[in-house]
């Protein structure tokens, strides 16, 4: 059903691109998305979650918005939200887009027409979303379980970082704190209570106090997250350029909340990569960014598949996917392999991506060969998170920059 | 060029991935004491070879009970087992401890064994397949790549090596390398490689006749060089390779005979389990084993096999050419499979290797054979708990194969080809029906082996027909009418190629067009 309905910008393109048999690496967008799902599906099927099903619903919802069937889009998103509240991260983009582009009309130059407000549309949206929530939450409200339910959904007690650290800003923060602690204790600058220097990546879900830097509370993360996503929402409100800008705002919301939220799961990176894949076929810069974030993001999921017999599976899947997408996008935008850099990427980016190879070698071979598994069991996790956090932060800033660089509507108006 | 390398790498990775997924399944005899299965046999050989001196490997002794998975492959397998035993010992001595490790099973050891097969596969079989298709000059690059993909993905070999657990990839890979060398005119290296294959698994004898008659024939066919000198050279090289492999056992006749006796076990019986060859299928009607003594059966097998091999061998001997040679590989190995003594169902992989060489040229008949050959091993695979892997791999294989080599009917083809296609689909349906019956239907109590026997008879019928078909192909090379050749080629239809150049501008152009 999904593949039939899935008509994002890319699929008509596919038909117009002749695909030569000799180089079947040229991306057909659907193949690409299918391949993109490989790691996701290995995550779903080995780690066991229903991400494939949920991602399908998300894509369905985005597709409906592309088709300007906004009510259906809102309906599917509300369903999705009630299936897994991780999608709350991207809800602001939906809210702003639907309010701005469904309930209001625009002038030819893109400014909002305040007089065009349609209460009927707003009310119908509200009814659809609220009725989905009523069906979902109704029984619990009726039983008086709402507060208990919410406390399960938003576990502020669980700690700033998940058991395996998601590669976000707080990893960098933690590492900075740790580094400061170590150097401080070395130079005796700070009297540190010994019981607070416990290993942070204990593999346990727990709260953790920073030593040098101020400790972070859930409220702080909420504020920072809101600050991080506000500019993207503002941009979407002031200069909406059709569904593509909606997807950009969606990705930025996912990015912002991934970077700064409380207790982020590393799986949430899929929420960034999936919608971003819808944009990669249009602009070289987006494709470039997508290559970085998808490689790093997929690699950051490796610690989830930790058993020995899963190593060949995850390595093969990542390699197949990465080779395919680098070659495919590189060919599409007229770049080929060279010795100095990967297709589309700058030298620094290439170096960073290739750095994943020694990192993985260290994690799966050298670390245990050195006999450090006992003494520093979580060092590979820490390294992976830190290394990937650098890439994710870079991609986030760059994507923000690219989105604000987008040309005003007039030049692209013909495309609409 | 870069694209081609990249595609080959991706194909290799996909194949490794699929092999690894199959290897997560159980192996033969997992958790089934007291005898376990081929997995335990390989582990046991590592144990024996690592702990005992070379001379003791094939001898019954207090340390080496030949009744418990005694070594019954030629010396190269034994050396390979020693290498595996060496690494196993250094990782965990328990894995190959003499006598105390019988039936040892653990997750770590399974990983080690599975890695050892993957490694052998990637190091020997993958390069052989690449080299074979790479040096075919008559094919387009795309066909080479597709052929490579489909040959590597052949479910039979994957299921037996990475599921059931054996190292067929080594002997088959060595044979394939020998074929590559012979195709490239490097007859001496080819002979060495084939001798190595023969010394890894004696079953490679199935392929020996074509190698022998091709090399002999080519010695006398070429007017340019001195045929006799070449014959002497090949003979010396072959003898030298054998001597090198058998060196530890050549000091006295007795130990050499002991190895030979282990490698060719007359006492083992006409066939094992339900195998899709003539004797097993005939046993439904005639109980040969009760009518004749073992020695009579052996002679009967020898004579019939020899007669069956004769046409293709003589044809190749008289008119040696690479095309005939490749077909003779199929004919000879099928003849051995159908008529020889003590055949395993796994031995069908040997003819299948030769059939794989024809994937790009004769897509339909190759697919047909490859599917039926894998299907003929179904009872064994079910016993090993590989049913899901079997079904998944077969579906993947048939779907990918059909999409790589489309077999849709054309209006211009002859009625004969149409009939072939119809029979092909009927036969696939039959195989599917038998698979479902085997899995889901309870056989009547007085016929507990009903479905395995049906499967072997069904497959045997196919193999006999394939045997006749490939013999016909080989014998009619040269005399064949061009129209028939074209007909064969028509089976493959290609989507017309268009040159493909798309820069960023082209993309935006397409986008714009679409949006309007």
């Amino acid at each position: 059903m999904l593949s039939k309905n899935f008509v994002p910008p890319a699929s008509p393109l596919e038909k117009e691109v002749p695909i030569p048999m000799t180089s079947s690496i040229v991306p057909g967008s659907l193949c690409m998305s299918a391949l993109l799902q490989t790691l996701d599906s290995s995550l779903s099927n080995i780690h066991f979650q229903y991400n494939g099903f949920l991602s399908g619903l998300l894509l369905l919802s985005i597709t409906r918005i592309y088709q300007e069937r906004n009510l259906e889009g809102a309906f599917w998103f509300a369903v999705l939200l009630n299936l897994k509240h991780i999608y709350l991260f991207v809800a602001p983009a939906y809210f702003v887009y639907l309010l701005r582009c469904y309930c209001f009309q625009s002038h030819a130059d893109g400014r909002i027409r305040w007089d065009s407000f349609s209460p009927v549309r707003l009310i119908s949206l509200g009814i659809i979303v609220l009725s989905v929530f009523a069906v979902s939450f109704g029984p619990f409200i009726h039983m008086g379980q709402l507060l208990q339910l919410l406390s399960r959904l938003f576990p502020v007690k669980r700690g700033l970082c998940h058991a395996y650290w998601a590669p976000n800003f707080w990893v960098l923060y933690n590492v900075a704190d740790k580094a400061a602690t170590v150097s401080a204790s070395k130079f005796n600058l700070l009297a540190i209570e010994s019981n607070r220097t416990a290993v942070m990546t204990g593999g346990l879900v727990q709260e953790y106090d920073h030593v040098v830097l101020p400790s972070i509370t859930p409220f702080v993360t909420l504020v920072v997250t809101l600050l991080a996503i506000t500019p993207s929402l503002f941009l979407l409100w002031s200069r909406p350029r059709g569904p593509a800008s909606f997807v950009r705002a969606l990705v930025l919301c996912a990015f912002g909340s991934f970077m700064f939220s409380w207790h982020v799961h590393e799986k949430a990176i899929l929420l960034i990569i999936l919608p971003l894949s819808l944009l990669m076929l249009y602009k070289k810069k987006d494709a470039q960014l997508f290559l970085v974030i998808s490689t790093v993001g997929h690699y950051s999921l490796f610690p989830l598949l930790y058993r020995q017999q899963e190593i060949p599976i995850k390595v093969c899947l990542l390699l197949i996917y990465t080779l395919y997408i680098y070659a495919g996008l590189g060919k599409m935008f007229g770049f080929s392999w060279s010795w100095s850099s990967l297709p589309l990427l700058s030298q620094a980016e290439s170096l960073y991506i290739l750095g994943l190879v020694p990192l993985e070698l260290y994690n799966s071979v050298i670390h245990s060969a050195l006999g450090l598994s006992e003494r520093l069991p979580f060092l590979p996790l820490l390294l992976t998170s830190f290394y990937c956090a650098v890439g994710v932060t870079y991609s986030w800033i760059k994507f923000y920059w690219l989105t604000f660089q987008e040309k005003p509507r007039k030049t692209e108006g013909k495309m609409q | 060029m870069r694209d081609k390398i990249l595609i080959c790498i991706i194909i290799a990775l996909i194949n490794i991935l699929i092999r690894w997924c199959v290897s997560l399944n159980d192996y033969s005899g997992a958790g089934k004491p007291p005898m376990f299965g081929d997995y335990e046999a390989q582990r046991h050989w590592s144990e024996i070879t690592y702990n005992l001196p070379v001379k003791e490997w094939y001898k019954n002794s207090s340390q080496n009970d030949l009744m418990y998975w005694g070594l019954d492959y030629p010396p190269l397998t034994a050396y390979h087992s020693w290498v595996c035993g060496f690494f196993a010992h250094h990782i965990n001595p328990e894995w190959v401890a003499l006598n105390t490790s019988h039936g040892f099973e653990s997750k770590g050891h399974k990983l080690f064994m599975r890695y050892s097969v993957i490694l052998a596969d990637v190091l020997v079989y993958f390069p052989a397949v690449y080299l074979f298709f790479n040096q075919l000059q008559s094919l387009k690059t795309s066909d080479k790549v597709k052929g490579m993909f489909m040959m590597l993905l052949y479910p039979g070999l994957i299921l037996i090596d990475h599921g059931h657990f054996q190292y067929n990839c080594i002997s088959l890979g060595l044979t394939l390398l020998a074929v590559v060398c012979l195709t490239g005119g490097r007859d001496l290296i080819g002979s060495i490689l084939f001798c190595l294959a023969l010394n890894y698994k004696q079953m490679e004898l199935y392929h020996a006749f074509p190698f022998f008659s091709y090399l002999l024939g080519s010695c006398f066919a070429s007017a340019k060089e001195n045929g006799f000198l070449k014959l002497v050279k090949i003979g010396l090289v072959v003898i030298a390779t054998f001597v090198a492999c058998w060196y530890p056992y050549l000091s006295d006749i007795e130990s050499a005979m002991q190895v030979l006796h282990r490698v060719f076990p007359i006492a083992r019986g006409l066939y094992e389990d339900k195998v899709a060859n003539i004797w097993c299928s005939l046993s439904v009607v005639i109980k040969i084993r009760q009518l004749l003594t073992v020695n009579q059966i052996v002679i009967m097998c020898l004579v019939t096999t020899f007669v069956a091999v004769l046409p293709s061998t003589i044809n190749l001997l008289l008119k040696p050419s690479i095309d005939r040679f490749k077909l003779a590989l199929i004919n000879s190995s099928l003849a051995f499979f159908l008529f020889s003594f003590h055949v395993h169902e796994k031995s069908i992989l040997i003819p299948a290797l030769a059939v794989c060489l024809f994937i790009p040229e004769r897509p339909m008949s190759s697919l047909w054979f490859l599917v039926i050959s894998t299907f003929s091993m179904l009872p064994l695979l079910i016993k090993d708990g590989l049913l899901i892997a079997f079904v998944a791999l077969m579906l993947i294989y048939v779907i990918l194969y059909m999409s790589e080599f489309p077999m849709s009917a054309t209006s211009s083809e002859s009625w004969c080809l149409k009939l072939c296609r119809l029979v092909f689909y009927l036969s696939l349906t039959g195989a599917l029906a038998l698979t479902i019956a085997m899995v889901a239907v309870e056989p009547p109590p007085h016929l507990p082996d009903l479905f395995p026997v049906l499967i072997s008879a069904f497959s045997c019928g196919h193999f006999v027909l394939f045997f006749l078909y490939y013999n016909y192909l080989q014998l009619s090379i040269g005399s064949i009418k061009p129209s028939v050749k074209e007909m064969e080629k028509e089976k493959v239809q290609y989507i017309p190629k268009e040159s493909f150049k798309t820069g960023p501008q082209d993309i935006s152009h397409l986008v714009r067009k679409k949006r309007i």
Side-chain angles (χ1 to χ4, degrees):
Chain A
M1 180 193 96
L2 288 179
S3 61
K4 219 173 181 179
N5 291 331
F6 180 43
V7 198
S11 51
L13 187 80
E14 188 197 10
K15 284 177 198 141
E16 295 178 36
V17 176
I19 298 172
M21 299 295 281
T22 41
S23 55
S24 44
I25 47 171
V26 171
S29 65
L30 287 180
C31 295
M32 201 80 121
S33 321
L35 256 176
L36 177 69
Q37 304 280 347
T38 51
L39 265 183
D40 312 0
S41 64
S42 80
L43 187 68
S44 300
N45 293 321
I46 300 177
H47 183 75
F48 200 82
Q49 289 201 336
Y50 295 100
N51 290 316
F53 160 66
L54 298 172
S55 307
L57 280 184
L58 178 68
L59 288 178
L60 176 64
S61 164
I62 296 176
T63 306
R64 288 295 181 247
I65 298 234
Y66 263 97
Q67 293 169 327
E68 304 200 341
R69 290 151 76 171
N70 290 318
L71 287 178
E72 283 173 66
F75 170 76
W76 285 116
F77 184 72
V79 171
L80 189 62
L81 207 50
N82 280 290
L83 283 167
K84 194 166 180 174
H85 55 295
I86 197 173
Y87 292 97
L88 207 56
F89 285 162
V90 295
Y94 269 91
F95 178 76
V96 172
Y97 178 77
L98 289 174
L99 188 66
R100 173 67 180 78
C101 294
Y102 185 61
C103 301
F104 286 100
Q105 305 290 321
S106 297
H107 286 294
D109 61 353
R111 279 183 301 114
I112 187 167
R113 270 175 56 201
W114 289 103
D115 57 332
S116 67
F117 177 67
S118 154
V120 181
R121 289 187 161 192
L122 183 64
I123 290 167
S124 49
L125 265 182
I127 289 173
I128 283 176
V129 173
L130 286 179
S131 52
V132 172
F133 271 85
V135 171
S136 165
F137 280 82
F140 296 96
I141 296 172
H142 179 72
M143 290 184 292
Q145 295 276 311
L146 187 63
L147 285 179
Q148 175 61 20
L149 181 79
L150 288 180
S151 76
R152 288 296 304 157
L153 291 186
F154 302 102
V156 287
K157 288 267 177 239
R158 277 215 196 151
L160 179 61
C161 290
H162 188 53
Y164 302 124
W165 291 1
N168 62 9
F169 175 77
W170 302 121
V171 169
L172 302 178
Y173 190 82
N174 283 351
V175 169
D177 181 62
K178 191 76 187 168
T181 314
V182 170
S183 51
S185 63
K186 207 167 200 172
F187 299 113
N188 288 323
L189 294 177
L190 206 66
I192 298 159
E193 300 147 58
S194 57
N195 61 343
R196 288 180 68 190
T197 55
V199 183
M200 289 178 281
T201 44
L204 297 168
V205 176
Q206 63 185 2
E207 284 183 85
Y208 161 74
D209 291 322
H210 291 87
V211 182
V212 179
L213 298 172
S215 284
I216 303 297
T217 63
F219 180 71
V220 176
T221 62
L222 184 67
V223 171
V224 182
T225 309
L226 286 178
L227 281 179
I229 63 173
T230 310
S232 67
L233 298 176
F234 176 74
L235 190 72
L236 179 63
W237 180 268
S238 61
R239 288 191 296 177
R241 285 189 300 274
S245 62
F246 159 66
V247 175
R248 295 192 90 88
L250 192 110
V251 172
L252 280 172
C253 281
F255 252 130
S257 40
F258 183 82
M259 290 298 297
F260 298 109
S261 279
W262 183 257
H263 196 75
V264 176
H265 285 235
E266 56 291 272
K267 289 153 257 177
I269 193 90
L270 299 180
L271 203 54
I272 301 172
I273 299 175
L274 269 175
L276 194 57
S277 68
L278 302 177
L279 300 173
M280 73 185 164
L281 294 175
Y282 293 102
K283 293 192 186 124
K284 202 175 87 189
K285 301 237 163 177
D286 287 343
Q288 207 171 346
L289 185 93
F290 180 77
L291 291 181
V292 177
I293 186 73
S294 70
T295 317
V296 173
H298 286 147
Y299 181 78
S300 74
L301 299 175
F302 268 26
L304 286 178
L305 309 174
Y306 57 90
R307 277 181 298 187
Q308 283 289 317
Q309 67 262 36
E310 285 158 0
I311 291 177
I313 295 184
K314 63 185 185 185
V315 171
C316 277
L317 275 177
L318 184 68
L319 279 180
I320 293 170
Y321 169 72
T322 332
L323 284 176
Y324 179 82
I325 200 167
Y326 276 76
L329 284 181
K331 201 174 178 71
M332 195 170 157
F333 290 103
F335 280 74
S336 64
W337 302 85
S338 72
W339 291 113
S340 57
S341 61
L342 297 169
L344 290 175
L345 300 194
S346 71
Q347 274 187 358
E349 288 168 331
S350 309
L351 207 61
Y352 172 76
I353 293 295
L354 291 176
L356 290 172
V357 177
L359 179 66
E360 174 58 20
L361 274 181
Y362 177 82
N363 286 349
S364 51
V365 182
I366 301 173
H367 185 72
S368 54
L370 286 178
L372 293 171
S373 320
E374 295 289 311
R375 210 154 54 86
L376 297 166
F378 297 102
L379 185 64
L381 284 181
L382 181 74
L383 285 177
T384 307
S385 292
F386 179 72
Y387 198 85
C388 294
V390 173
V392 174
T393 312
Y394 166 79
S395 306
W396 174 60
I397 295 170
K398 189 169 171 188
F399 192 67
Y400 239 124
W401 184 73
L402 285 177
T403 305
F404 273 92
Q405 287 286 306
E406 286 215 298
K407 292 186 188 84
R409 186 177 172 135
K410 265 181 190 167
T411 46
E412 281 188 23
K414 290 173 215 155
M415 289 173 69
Q416 295 298 323
Chain B
M1 189 57 198
R2 275 212 187 102
D3 279 355
K4 199 184 142 201
I5 294 173
L6 196 74
I7 293 174
C8 290
I9 292 175
I10 290 182
I11 286 178
L13 283 171
I14 292 175
N15 273 289
I16 294 174
L17 179 66
I18 287 182
R19 278 161 168 73
W20 190 260
C21 291
V22 170
S23 77
L24 295 178
N25 286 285
D26 272 351
Y27 41 84
S28 77
K32 285 179 194 152
M35 282 307 272
F36 302 95
D38 279 355
Y39 175 88
E40 166 64 7
Q42 297 283 355
R43 193 210 55 73
H44 179 64
W45 296 344
S46 298
E47 169 199 336
I48 293 296
T49 51
Y50 185 71
N51 290 298
L52 297 180
V54 181
K55 290 249 175 182
E56 307 274 308
W57 290 355
Y58 289 91
K59 266 190 202 152
N60 203 18
S61 68
S62 58
Q63 301 292 325
N64 184 10
D65 177 12
L66 288 184
M67 291 307 285
Y68 184 80
W69 296 115
L71 197 51
D72 55 3
Y73 281 145
L76 266 192
T77 295
Y79 303 146
H80 180 219
S81 297
W82 181 85
V83 174
C84 290
F86 177 82
F87 285 107
H89 180 79
H90 283 267
I91 296 170
N92 184 351
E94 253 183 82
W95 291 352
V96 286
L98 190 58
N99 291 330
T100 56
S101 64
H102 284 199
F104 185 92
E105 289 177 294
S106 79
K107 275 187 180 167
H109 186 249
K110 183 182 169 190
L111 265 183
F112 169 75
M113 296 291 267
R114 296 298 201 191
Y115 270 122
S116 73
V117 187
I118 285 260
L119 194 69
D121 214 349
V122 172
L123 289 184
V124 181
Y125 192 66
F126 281 41
V129 172
Y130 173 80
L131 289 175
F132 176 80
F133 283 101
N134 200 35
Q135 47 100 45
L136 286 180
Q137 257 126 48
S138 55
L139 287 178
K140 280 177 278 183
T141 310
S142 61
D143 275 358
K144 288 182 190 174
V145 170
K146 287 192 267 178
M148 209 180 295
F149 191 20
M150 286 300 116
M151 180 160 184
L152 285 175
L153 203 60
Y154 169 52
L157 185 61
I158 298 181
L159 288 167
I160 293 299
D161 272 12
H162 301 269
H164 178 83
F165 201 84
Q166 285 197 332
Y167 295 95
N168 292 301
C169 50
I170 295 184
S171 56
L172 295 178
L174 287 171
T175 310
L176 190 54
L177 283 174
V179 175
V180 172
C181 289
L182 260 54
T183 322
R186 299 187 190 86
D187 290 353
L188 288 180
I189 303 176
S191 316
I192 294 178
L193 286 168
F194 184 66
C195 289
L196 291 178
L198 213 48
N199 275 306
Y200 192 86
K201 279 201 172 186
Q202 69 273 30
M203 260 82 88
E204 281 305 320
L205 270 179
Y206 288 20
H207 285 145
F209 275 85
F211 273 94
F212 174 75
S213 54
Y214 174 76
L215 289 172
L216 188 65
S218 65
C219 283
F220 296 113
S222 68
K224 270 185 277 174
E225 50 184 334
N226 188 341
F228 185 70
L229 185 66
K230 191 181 172 190
L231 187 65
V232 171
K233 271 196 218 160
I234 292 175
L236 283 178
V237 158
V238 167
I239 291 171
T241 315
F242 266 87
V243 168
C245 292
W246 286 64
Y247 181 72
Y249 306 100
L250 292 177
S251 54
D252 57 314
I253 299 284
E254 197 192 330
S255 46
M257 285 310 289
Q258 172 63 20
V259 180
L260 263 186
H261 179 69
R262 290 295 307 162
V263 171
F264 296 103
I266 303 283
R268 274 255 199 118
L270 185 51
Y271 46 82
E272 202 158 274
D273 285 337
K274 296 282 175 284
V275 50
N277 75 352
I278 292 284
W279 307 125
C280 184
S281 304
L282 274 185
S283 72
V284 180
V285 195
I286 318 165
K287 300 283 175 233
I288 302 169
R289 281 190 285 192
Q290 287 154 21
L291 291 174
L292 302 172
T293 65
V294 171
N295 281 338
Q296 282 172 318
I297 293 180
V298 171
I299 291 168
M300 175 189 73
C301 290
L302 276 179
V303 171
T304 44
T305 311
F306 190 68
V307 170
V309 174
L310 217 50
S312 74
T313 307
I314 291 179
N315 172 266
L316 182 64
L317 194 62
L318 296 179
K319 298 179 213 162
S321 80
I322 281 298
D323 286 339
R324 280 198 193 85
F325 168 65
K326 285 192 283 186
L327 282 165
L329 285 176
I330 306 178
N331 290 326
S332 151
S333 49
L334 258 182
F336 270 90
F337 179 80
L338 287 172
F339 296 105
S340 70
F341 186 77
H342 191 72
V343 173
H344 284 256
E345 58 279 68
K346 287 156 264 177
S347 303
I348 195 63
L349 296 179
I350 298 167
L353 174 83
V355 173
C356 282
L357 308 183
F358 289 90
I359 288 175
E361 291 159 66
R362 301 175 186 287
M364 189 171 84
S365 55
S366 305
L367 175 64
W368 198 347
F369 185 95
L370 296 176
V371 167
I372 297 295
S373 63
T374 312
F375 168 72
S376 75
M377 297 184 283
L378 181 63
L380 173 78
L381 297 172
I382 289 182
K383 204 166 73 187
D384 292 342
L386 293 169
L387 178 66
I388 293 176
F390 167 81
V391 173
L393 273 189
M394 284 299 244
L395 285 177
I396 292 176
Y397 194 68
V398 173
I399 291 170
L400 274 181
Y401 198 108
M402 297 265 212
S403 61
E404 303 259 292
F405 300 100
M407 290 174 197
S408 54
T410 50
S411 51
S412 61
E413 68 186 16
S414 67
W415 62 270
C416 174
L417 209 58
K418 277 186 182 131
L419 188 70
C420 278
R421 194 187 315 284
L422 183 71
V423 177
F424 168 64
Y425 285 120
L426 276 180
S427 134
L428 286 197
T429 318
L432 181 69
L434 275 175
T435 307
I436 294 171
M438 172 91 194
V439 176
V441 181
E442 186 82 16
H446 59 287
L447 293 171
D449 278 344
L450 174 68
F451 293 120
V453 169
L454 275 181
I455 287 176
S456 69
F458 178 84
S459 314
C460 178
H462 279 82
F463 295 146
V464 169
L465 292 176
F466 277 118
F467 178 66
L468 297 175
Y469 169 71
Y470 283 115
N471 264 296
Y472 165 75
L473 278 184
Q474 190 196 336
L475 298 180
S476 62
I477 281 186
S479 63
I480 206 162
K481 278 178 281 175
S483 63
V484 182
K485 260 186 182 170
E486 272 163 28
M487 234 166 58
E488 267 296 334
K489 279 194 175 161
E490 245 174 58
K491 285 176 183 170
V492 198
Q493 286 146 19
Y494 302 103
I495 298 165
K497 292 178 190 176
E498 286 175 51
S499 61
F500 181 70
K501 275 184 197 164
T502 310
Q505 303 85 3
D506 301 20
I507 293 297
S508 60
H509 161 74
L510 289 175
V511 173
R512 211 158 286 155
K513 206 158 89 186
K514 190 217 91 205
R515 286 277 173 89
I516 296 164

